[in-house]
Amino acid sequence: MGHCYHHALSSVRKWGGVAEDYLPLHQWFDESKAITADFRHRALRHHAEGIFMLERFFGPRSPSRRAVSFRCGLSASSM
């Protein structure tokens, strides 16, 4: 994988909806690539605290474009 869009497609397969539902979440997780553009960026947001931060910024639930609401933290925990 590697690109946010591919991660969003993976979330669609797992949780439903469309890629655009998940793209902002994956982009937020990967903003840390601006600091270090290798695997080490995952240490900054890809953990439990990062999931709680994601819920704070995006809310506990995010509406899907297909009228399906999904739990941000739950879907993020398996990203």
Side-chain angles (χ1 to χ4, degrees):
M1 269 191 213
H3 191 273
C4 296
Y5 186 74
H6 297 289
H7 292 299
L9 290 176
S10 177
S11 294
V12 168
R13 286 190 293 276
K14 186 166 193 165
W15 302 100
V18 293
E20 290 75 17
D21 295 336
Y22 302 95
L23 197 54
L25 306 178
H26 289 289
Q27 288 171 331
W28 182 84
F29 271 117
D30 283 350
E31 281 178 357
S32 57
K33 286 182 179 177
I35 297 168
T36 178
D38 60 22
F39 71 92
R40 293 175 297 171
H41 87 277
R42 297 181 61 83
L44 299 175
R45 292 190 177 170
H46 291 73
H47 48 69
E49 183 183 16
I51 293 169
F52 285 108
M53 288 172 57
L54 178 107
E55 282 189 333
R56 183 182 302 171
F57 293 128
F58 290 94
R61 293 200 161 279
S62 183
S64 166
R65 296 186 194 282
R66 294 207 173 160
V68 175
S69 178
F70 60 89
R71 175 96 196 255
C72 285
L74 182 60
S75 59
S77 66
S78 62
M79 291 182 173

